Amino acid sequence: MQSSWDFERLSEACNKAGCILCRLTGETTQRYLETWKDEMFTEVDVRAKLRSSRGFCNTHTWRLVQMGASLPLAQAYRDIITDEIEQLENDGGRHRQRWFHPKNGEALSPCPACQQSNEALTRFVFSLRQSLPEPSFYTLFLSSHGLCLQHFHLSCTLKPLAAPETWLPLLRQAQLAIMQRLEAQLSELIRKHDYRYKNEARGAEMTSWQSAAGLVSGEEGSIT
Ligand SMILES: [Zn+2]
Ligand SMILES: [Zn+2]
């Protein structure tokens, strides 16, 4: 059995709205950014890593701006601007290999927050697969909003596919039931939108359009 800590977090996420992997990965990344902002930004190796990735990606940089990470960003991004100034002064801007963008050949290190997010996602995918055969978890998962499409397909295909017969049919079966339930709610919402049915009582279907947005495109701000 995987760590009971992951199992508990997966179970808790099933009781909340939206894709459980979006939620858990998003929470992990948020905690990482908070720790960076509060203490990690002064560490020598963390500063060096941020220089080699040329800072955080656009999404995580602006998340930190919103979090008011003024001194940490000032310090970390001054490092990067200093490097750029030095480079321009020394060679007039001729590209050194280490500055090349991935698309141009040489790899820039990935954004450290994206890296954390990807590692957390991988871990939760494997924990989810191990949790599905537990009947109590399966019931809980079935009553949840399931997975967004990106995370569903990733969960089905991410290697290694150890003993897929123990979890893959369960994952497909549960996701199918969840999507069928959502589809019925969407149809109901669309039907009641018609003025002839405007007086009918409104139910759970009224928020189904938001669930559909999260399921098809991932939860807000969670996919990097
Ligand atoms: Zn997701
Ligand atoms: Zn990032």
Side-chain angles (χ1 to χ4, degrees), residues 18-23 25 121 146-152 214-215 217-219 222-223:
C19 164
I20 64 176
L21 292 179
C22 281
R23 173 176 290 278
T25 307
L121 177 60
L147 301 178
C148 69
L149 293 183
Q150 184 179 325
H151 286 151
F152 172 62
L215 188 133
S217 298
E219 303 302 329
S222 65
I223 305 239

Side-chain angles (χ1 to χ4, degrees), residues 25-99:
T25 307
E27 284 173 1
T28 304
T29 311
Q30 183 62 26
R31 259 202 314 280
Y32 171 81
L33 293 176
E34 274 160 17
T35 313
W36 181 79
K37 169 181 168 260
D38 293 340
E39 47 196 91
M40 258 164 52
F41 75 96
T42 56
E43 291 170 21
V44 176
D45 55 333
V46 174
R47 285 179 73 167
K49 212 171 164 205
L50 265 182
R51 280 178 120 122
S52 71
S53 65
R54 212 190 287 163
F56 294 101
C57 68
N58 177 280
T59 303
H60 291 130
T61 296
W62 288 99
R63 184 84 52 83
L64 284 161
V65 170
Q66 285 161 7
M67 290 161 66
S70 48
L71 180 65
L73 278 176
Q75 193 189 73
Y77 283 28
R78 185 188 58 178
D79 286 346
I80 293 155
I81 290 165
T82 304
D83 287 344
E84 286 283 331
I85 290 172
E86 197 181 299
Q87 187 190 331
L88 270 173
E89 284 176 346
N90 289 345
D91 63 12
R94 278 194 306 277
H95 280 140
R96 287 183 215 155
Q97 272 204 333
R98 70 190 177 103
W99 288 127

Side-chain angles (χ1 to χ4, degrees), residues 150-175:
Q150 184 179 325
H151 286 151
F152 172 62
H153 293 298
L154 179 79
S155 297
C156 290
T157 55
L158 187 68
K159 302 242 163 37
L161 287 173
E165 68 282 1
T166 60
W167 55 267
L168 188 54
L170 292 170
L171 178 59
R172 285 191 177 141
Q173 186 184 306
Q175 182 78 13

